[in-house]
Structure formats: structure tokens, C-alpha cells
Amino acid sequence: MLASLSIRDVVLIERLDLHFGPGLSVLTGETGAGKSILLDSLGLALGQRAEAGMVRSGQSQAGVVAVFHPPASHPAHALLAEQGIESEDEIVVRRIVTTDGRSRAFVNDEPVGVALLRRLGALLVEVQGQHDQVGLADPATHAGLLDAFGGLDARRNAVADAYRAWRGAERALRDAQEAIAAAQRDEEWLRHAVQELNDLAPVEGEEDALASERQGLQGSERRAEAIASSLSELQPRDRRGGGAPAAALRNAARALERLTPASEEVSAALAALAAAQDALAEAENVLERLMGDAQPDPRRLEHVEERLFALRAAARKHLVAVVDLPAHLASLKERLANLDAGTGRVAALDAAAKEARAAYVAAAGALTAARREHAEKLEKAVVRELAPLKLDRARLHIEIAPREESAWGPDGQDRVTFLVTTNPGQKPGQLAKIASGGELSRLMLALKVVLARGSPVPTLVFDEVDSGIGGATAAAVGERLARVAERLQVLVVTHSPQVAARGAQHFQVAKGVRGDRAETRVTPLEPGARREEIARMLAGERVTEAARAAADELLAGAA
């Protein structure tokens, strides 16, 4: 539902804030008062083309804000959710137009493109005018409207489910065929690669383990070299034992032992030499023991390095990381298995796709039969509404034609089109092409009366639906607008007092002058002022008591 419309600096409107309730709201006023400006302003919020001429003279920009309160299940919420825009219970649309004709649009304070604004507007408001009809005049909506009239939601949902299942089965078949074709092209390489990687037998986490072991083995080798070098410094450098520290210590001791008698100092030196020989012997024993413990296995280091290099070479060859080699091998094996078992699998998927297609065709056929049944009921229901609208010769024809298989979809196999004739013997044609402006608006009204229950659009706008009619026909138009308004919010611009009397809300549009500038004002009318406005519509410029009495009669009859 359209809750409010705020307009700033649009053509003749400086500042205007309107609030709308449910049911039927009527806008009346003399020709040229500015009613079209209101509709243009609403159209701006719904994504219609912005023009520089909409900006009020002397201002830099014009702005319109429309606030909607659609039901929680309304598709507008889903549309905004797809765009990452939160809507909750309220949708606020804002559009700004500058003097260079450029515009900016916002939904709930999020900037949006005009294309999204148009999609959103089509879900929230439907405009039926003498020249611009959307919604019912669009053949793309006709199948959904017929299904809503016939209560065919369950059948339509079954068709949509069957369609998705069919297309999913076809995708699975196509993917399998493509995978097998690709595998066959690479079969020789594939078998060689699987054999090569099977022989290599990569293990998850193996690279890290080998690298760590290699680092440890290389450290052990350096440790053994250091111990051997230290030990070699303590051992003889020739066959006679020369050059060794131990031999030098023994020779030094023997030389001192030849001194007799030995002095106290010589004895101390001999004792020190003996201690040095013992320490040196202990050092040799420790180094020899360490040498035995630290001796690395050169074959193990060589094996580790060969394995590590082989894994990395295979990874480079297959353009994957070493850690991904096991998964890559599994993938190649799966491709090979698919190739080996491909014929049987494709045959099974082909059978499943054919079965899914048959299920879709059956569901769509049942929907088509139901549509044909309810199309006849809809045609008769609309005809009953046409005679009081002075369209007793007009007829609705619902054409249900098969579509090419390439055009089948989740909504079925049919192309549903609403066609009309306005005179006997006339060939049925599209709504917007056969009827005149006034006839088209009344045809749309008749359809809306019948289809209001299934309409997904909560707000309807009729622009001069009563053009060119009066008396009983205008009263019939007003009565039908009120019936539609029992289910939907309806805004109507009218010159007919019979229609105006039916409104739950009544707005008067008037043009005046403030200072040296023309200005359009819109006033919500209380009961007394509303009586005067309807009397003016009946009598013209000079309102008489007879006109007021007639206005009272119209208001009483509409109550």
C-alpha cells in the first residue's frame, strides 16, 4: 500500500505531503489544476524517465519520496533482499532530479539504479491511464493472472518443480558427456599420469615430514664432521706417533724424569704432565664415543633427498602443490573411472533426463488443461462487468497457444494472451491496440474487478477512467472501483461526481497564485468541503442548492 507521497519543487508544486489510507482515494479538480503533476511525481518514484522540465522554476532540483507498506509476503521484499537492501515493514523510495535532467534514486537510503527502481515500482503500483497502461496490458503478466483467477497455484508450483528437476537432470547428463569427451581426448596421458603417480604413491603431509627429516640428517652430518676434526687434532699425524699431543706430553715427562734427584718444582711439573695426559686420554675416549653415536647414515639422507626431489618434480609437472598430489591423483583416478564406466553412467543419466522431461510435460499439460477451463470462466466473468460500463459489445478472448520447446519454462508450455474485440465481427487484438483510451481504461477496470483477488500489486492508479462517460455508466465505474478497493488500494483521478462520491478519501487539486507564481495545492477534504466539491462537479462554476442536494444524494447512495 502507498502510505504517503512527499513532493518538493516539482513543476508547480513547491511543497506537498499527502497521506493515503486503504480503500478508494479520489483526486478531483478542474482541468489544468495539476492532477497530472501528482501522477508524474508518483511515476518518478516508480522509475519513470526523469526530465529537467520537472524541476520547479528557480530551483536546483526536484525531489519525490514515496513510502510503501507492502505485506510481509510481498515479492518486493525478496527483490530488495537480493540486492542486500533491508525492507522489513516499510519501503521508502526517494528520487531526486536536477536541472540538467540527471537523477538519483534511493530505496531505504541505499542508492539504486533506475532499472531496479522500475522493477520495484512494477511490483508496488499499477497505473491504468488513457495513454499509458502497464500491468494488464503487458502479455507477460497474463498467464500469472489467469492462474491466480483459477486458483492454479498448486499446479503452477508442480510445473515449476518439474521444470527444475528436468533442467537439473539435463545439466547432469551434459556434464557427464562433457567429462567423458574430455577424458577420451586425454585417455593415453591420463593412464600414464595415474600409473606414474601410483608408483610415486604420494602421502598427505609427506613433504613436511621429509623436509624435517632431511634437515635433521644434515645437522647430524655437520656434527659428526666437527667431532672427527676435533679427534684428529688429538691423534698422531705420522706412523711414529709424532705430532700427537699425548706423545708430546709423554716425551716432556721422560725428559724431566732424567733429572736426579728431582726437585720439588720438577715433581710438581711431572704431576701436572701426568694429569694432562689423563685428561687428554679422557677427552679422546669421549670424542671416540661421540663419533660412534653421531655417525650419520649417508644412504638414508640420500633416500630422503631423492624422495623429496621426486615429489616436487611431480608437483611441478602436474602444476599442483606437493600437498595436493594425493587429491590430484584421486581426481585423475576418478576421471579414469568415469571414462571406464562412462557409457553406462551416461545411459542412466540420459534415461533420468527423459523421465524428468516426461514428468514436466505431464505437469505442464495438466496446467494447460486447467487454464483452458478457467479461461472460459474468466471470459464470461469479464463480459458480465462490461455491459454496465457501456462496453456491452466488447468481448475478452483468452488465447492459449503452445510455445516452442526452447521457450518452455517454470510457468508451463503456454503463451497466454488477453485479446479483446470492441465490436461484433472484429478480429481480436491486443488490449492496447484495439480499444480507444476511454474504452481501454474501462476494459482494464472490468478485468481488475474480476482479477483483484489474485493481483500481486497492492496499489492501483486509474487516470480518468471515466473519460467520455456520465450518468449510469459513471455510476457503474464508481461502483466497480469501490469493489476493487475492497481488496486493493485504489487511487483514481476523476471528473465524475458519481466516482468521486465513492471515495473513502477525497483530495481536491487546485491551482492558485502566490506572489507572482502559479502553484498547485492539494487539500484533503472534510465532509462539508467534499459536499461542495461534488456539487461543483455537478453544477459547474456556480454551485446551486439543487447541486448540493444532488451531491448529498450521491454521497448517501455511496455510503
Side-chain angles (χ1 to χ4, degrees), residues 179-180 182-198 328-343 345:
I180 289 172
Q184 288 174 337
R185 289 193 298 269
D186 301 330
E187 181 178 2
E188 183 177 352
W189 173 86
L190 190 60
R191 294 190 184 280
H192 172 75
V194 168
Q195 183 61 51
E196 183 181 56
L197 289 178
N198 265 334
H328 183 62
L329 174 58
S331 174
L332 295 179
K333 286 182 175 179
E334 183 180 1
R335 287 174 59 187
L336 195 56
N338 288 340
L339 176 62
D340 293 336
T343 304
R345 183 166 182 264

Side-chain angles (χ1 to χ4, degrees), residues 33-184:
K35 296 184 293 295
S36 62
I37 300 175
L38 292 176
L39 296 185
D40 289 343
S41 298
L42 178 59
L44 195 64
L46 301 176
Q48 292 181 10
R49 182 179 177 182
E51 297 180 356
M54 299 189 74
V55 181
R56 188 165 178 258
S57 176
Q59 302 302 312
S60 60
Q61 66 179 33
V64 177
V65 177
V67 179
F68 297 92
H69 293 160
S73 59
H74 195 272
H77 294 297
L79 174 63
L80 294 180
E82 290 174 5
Q83 307 298 320
I85 300 175
E86 295 184 4
S87 56
E88 296 183 354
D89 299 328
E90 185 174 82
I91 297 176
V92 180
V93 177
R94 182 162 57 98
R95 187 94 179 270
I96 296 171
V97 183
T98 56
T99 52
D100 59 2
R102 296 183 181 181
S103 73
R104 290 176 291 154
F106 303 85
V107 175
N108 289 357
D109 288 330
E110 296 287 341
V112 298
V114 176
L116 175 61
L117 201 61
R118 287 198 194 99
R119 291 175 61 193
L120 178 63
L123 294 173
L124 295 171
V125 179
E126 185 173 310
V127 179
Q128 310 292 346
Q130 292 198 67
H131 306 292
D132 299 311
Q133 281 78 23
V134 296
L136 281 175
D138 181 2
T141 67
H142 294 173
L145 291 170
L146 174 58
D147 294 345
F149 170 79
L152 304 180
D153 289 348
R155 290 189 182 276
R156 190 179 176 107
N157 291 339
V159 170
D161 291 342
Y163 180 80
R164 286 190 290 269
W166 172 34
R167 292 308 186 193
E170 285 195 327
R171 282 194 300 272
L173 172 61
R174 188 166 54 251
D175 291 345
Q177 291 171 332
E178 291 174 355
I180 289 172
Q184 288 174 337

Side-chain angles (χ1 to χ4, degrees), residues 487-505:
R487 298 187 178 276
L488 305 172
Q489 182 191 45
V490 178
L491 277 64
V492 57
V493 175
T494 181
H495 290 287
S496 168
Q498 292 89 343
V499 173
R502 290 280 182 174
Q505 284 183 295

Side-chain angles (χ1 to χ4, degrees), residues 2 40 46 112 143 166 174 196 202 212 240 242 351 372 413-414 418 464 489 507 512 519 535 543 551:
L2 175 64
D40 289 343
L46 301 176
V112 298
W166 172 34
R174 188 166 54 251
E196 183 181 56
S212 178
R240 295 180 180 181
R372 294 189 183 282
Q413 302 169 318
D414 312 316
F418 292 175
E464 300 188 10
Q489 182 191 45
F507 299 90
E519 183 179 66
V543 178

Side-chain angles (χ1 to χ4, degrees), residues 97 238 284 339 380 462 553:
V97 183
D238 54 40
E284 282 190 89
L339 176 62
K380 292 179 179 178
F462 288 90
E553 186 176 347

Side-chain angles (χ1 to χ4, degrees), residues 207-476:
E207 181 186 26
D208 290 340
L210 289 173
S212 178
E213 184 180 0
R214 179 190 182 204
Q215 185 177 8
L217 289 171
Q218 288 175 335
S220 297
E221 193 173 63
R222 290 191 296 271
R223 184 168 175 264
E225 289 176 355
I227 293 171
S229 177
S230 177
L231 189 59
S232 69
E233 293 296 328
L234 302 182
Q235 293 176 342
R237 291 184 175 83
D238 54 40
R239 294 180 180 179
R240 295 180 180 181
L249 290 173
R250 285 194 297 272
N251 291 336
R254 290 192 189 102
L256 289 178
E257 286 172 352
R258 287 196 290 268
L259 295 175
T260 56
S263 65
E264 186 176 344
E265 290 79 2
V266 170
S267 296
L270 286 170
L273 289 170
Q277 290 181 70
D278 292 341
L280 190 59
E282 177 63 21
E284 282 190 89
N285 290 335
V286 171
L287 288 173
E288 287 175 352
R289 187 172 66 253
L290 289 175
M291 187 66 186
D293 294 341
Q295 189 65 34
D297 181 358
R299 287 175 296 179
R300 178 58 188 169
L301 177 60
E302 182 180 352
H303 171 75
V304 168
E305 288 185 333
E306 286 178 354
R307 177 67 178 172
L308 191 58
F309 295 157
L311 289 170
R312 290 174 176 173
R316 287 193 299 272
K317 180 177 180 179
H318 291 274
L319 301 177
V320 297
V322 173
V323 70
D324 294 328
L325 279 175
H328 183 62
L329 174 58
S331 174
L332 295 179
K333 286 182 175 179
E334 183 180 1
R335 287 174 59 187
L336 195 56
N338 288 340
L339 176 62
D340 293 336
T343 304
R345 183 166 182 264
V346 167
L349 290 173
D350 183 56
K354 289 177 179 176
E355 184 178 346
R357 182 186 182 280
Y360 169 77
V361 169
L367 178 60
T368 298
R371 281 172 171 168
R372 294 189 183 282
E373 176 186 349
H374 288 283
E376 185 176 350
K377 295 178 181 179
L378 177 55
E379 289 174 348
K380 292 179 179 178
V382 171
V383 166
R384 287 194 294 270
E385 298 294 333
L386 292 176
L389 297 175
K390 207 174 180 180
L391 291 170
D392 49 304
R393 295 184 177 183
R395 293 293 182 270
L396 174 69
H397 304 270
I398 300 177
E399 181 182 83
I400 301 176
R403 296 188 299 206
E404 296 292 332
E405 182 168 341
S406 59
W408 291 356
D411 59 342
Q413 302 169 318
D414 312 316
R415 181 180 294 106
V416 179
T417 308
F418 292 175
L419 305 174
V420 295
T421 57
T422 54
N423 293 291
Q426 184 182 41
K427 184 178 179 181
Q430 292 185 7
L431 295 172
K433 295 182 178 179
I434 292 294
S436 65
E439 288 175 332
L440 182 55
S441 292
R442 280 177 278 142
L443 277 166
M444 293 297 185
L445 176 58
L447 281 165
K448 273 300 174 187
V449 170
V450 177
L451 297 172
R453 181 186 299 273
S455 176
V457 180
T459 299
L460 303 179
V461 177
F462 288 90
D463 182 13
E464 300 188 10
V465 66
D466 50 7
S467 177
I469 60 173
T473 305

